[in-house]
Amino acid sequence: MPFDQAANRRRFLQFLAASPLFASGSLSALAGEGPTAGIKLPDPIIWAPLRTEDLIKTPKDAINVFNFEPVARANVPPAHFGYMASGIDDEVTLRANREGFLKFQLRPRRLIDVSKIDMTTDILGVKYASPIIIAPVGGQKSFHEDGEIAVAKAAKTGDHLQILSTATTTGVEDVTAARGQPIWYQLYATNSWDVASTMVKRAEKAGCLAVAVTVDRSGGRNQETLFRLMPTDKRDCSGCHERGNLATNMKRRSMYEGIDLTGLTHTQSSNMTWDFMKRLRDLTKMKIVIKGVLAYEDAVLAADAGIDAIIVSNHGGRSEDSGRSTIDALPEIVEAVKGRMPILVDSGFRRGTDIVKALCMGATAVCIGRPYIWGLGAFGQGGVERVLELMRAELYGAMQQVGAPTIKHLVPAMVRRA
Ligand SMILES: Cc1cc2nc3c(=O)[nH]c(=O)nc-3n(C[C@H](O)[C@H](O)[C@H](O)COP(=O)(O)O)c2cc1C
């Protein structure tokens, strides 16, 4: 076929017209209906614009973790998807968690042998294949029928530490068995010591290595994305959710089984203070981790109190709308803690470079939330496995790019504020 320059130009313009970048109306000028001055192509030109309507068909098709989210949106009931995706109010913190990474740049080193990368990481005395941890996410059967068991099996495949939520839809014993190694238990302590201590004892009996006490869900929250999507969900939700009665509402939450919830109005702990940690220390031999620290003052108090580790977290932008990302909060906390305990971090981690930035700043490991839930909602266990595989592959590549053959080689000099 002869080379048809005009046809090619037409096709190119059609391509541009389909690109969201050019949805400005000025294309008609480029198409010959007016002067072309003022049109500037982006540099570099985006040759493969994202088309969220092109759903991947198998986990292997994914080229990054974001590919799973639109598939999960198609599969998961709107209210459940809304619960997962939602931030608070204007979702400033939710966006900040991603945008925060742009404030920091990597500063690669060269002529270092990075032909083999060792990502193994010690987390509270246990060696894992990578510093990528599965963050606690409640109610995983609401995203896929295999729920927490699918996630545990995927965690086993990639040798990831798994933190199980208090709001799990499968008991800690079965999840531990599916993981094949001890896990951590995340605690929503409620306002009742009896409820909290019963759960902690059960987790300890199941072999959990640590209890991660979540301290950032102390009050109400306005999950607007959830509330906007809920009315679009036409199912009858009363079979699972009975809003007026906490005890009935918790019947699908395995960790509340057999616990008397009479008088309890909420599963959060708005009355919790540092005294709780002292009582907890007397109750359990498990390591104690505090999840949800954002200010260096609290990190220092935690270290002073002998807490074993903290998780710098804003709950993935789901507990407040302060507007502060965790990657912004991390440096002041690392500086104040002075190595007295490991510092984990989560919220917004999606790329290998995100993880490398946090590790260079001094974090020991990074927890991932929504991405593996996208994988779960999209394809079940296979989706979670692929999400974790992609995160590991990106981390591996990012470590090669900065010249760090091991985690220990990720040092503060490799990251700079932009
Ligand atoms: C749907 C959903 C449920 C969650 N449930 C819990 C929970 O039960 N306990 C908890 O401590 N954190 C919970 N989190 C917060 C995560 O542990 C983690 O802090 C957060 O997801 C990290 O941010 P990311 O989603 O941007 O990766 C939940 C997060 C999501 C998305």
Side-chain angles (χ1 to χ4, degrees), residues 81-146:
F81 184 85
Y83 174 69
M84 180 279 302
S86 199
I88 304 297
D89 296 343
D90 289 322
E91 302 190 331
V92 181
T93 309
L94 184 71
R95 282 191 300 279
N97 280 338
R98 291 296 304 134
E99 289 160 8
F101 291 108
L102 299 176
K103 295 184 194 168
F104 299 93
Q105 300 170 341
L106 291 169
R107 201 171 152 269
R109 297 297 309 277
R110 301 297 181 220
L111 295 168
I112 294 162
D113 181 356
V114 286
S115 54
K116 280 198 196 75
I117 296 289
D118 178 359
M119 300 194 294
T120 53
T121 305
D122 184 292
I123 306 170
L124 289 182
V126 180
K127 198 172 166 190
Y128 298 91
S130 79
I132 301 171
I133 299 176
I134 293 177
V137 165
Q140 293 178 12
K141 280 191 192 155
S142 62
F143 306 109
H144 188 278
E145 58 187 357
D146 297 338

Side-chain angles (χ1 to χ4, degrees), residues 80 83-86 94 97 135-139 143 165-168 186-188 212 214 216-217 291 313-318 346-350 367-371 373:
H80 293 178
Y83 174 69
M84 180 279 302
S86 199
L94 184 71
N97 280 338
V137 165
F143 306 109
S165 164
T166 288
T168 177
Q186 173 269 327
L187 181 70
Y188 280 139
T214 298
D216 60 8
R217 285 287 299 108
K291 175 173 184 280
S313 169
N314 58 31
H315 220 102
R318 301 168 62 79
D346 75 20
S347 299
F349 287 80
R350 308 286 181 261
C367 315
I368 311 296
R370 290 184 187 83
I373 296 298

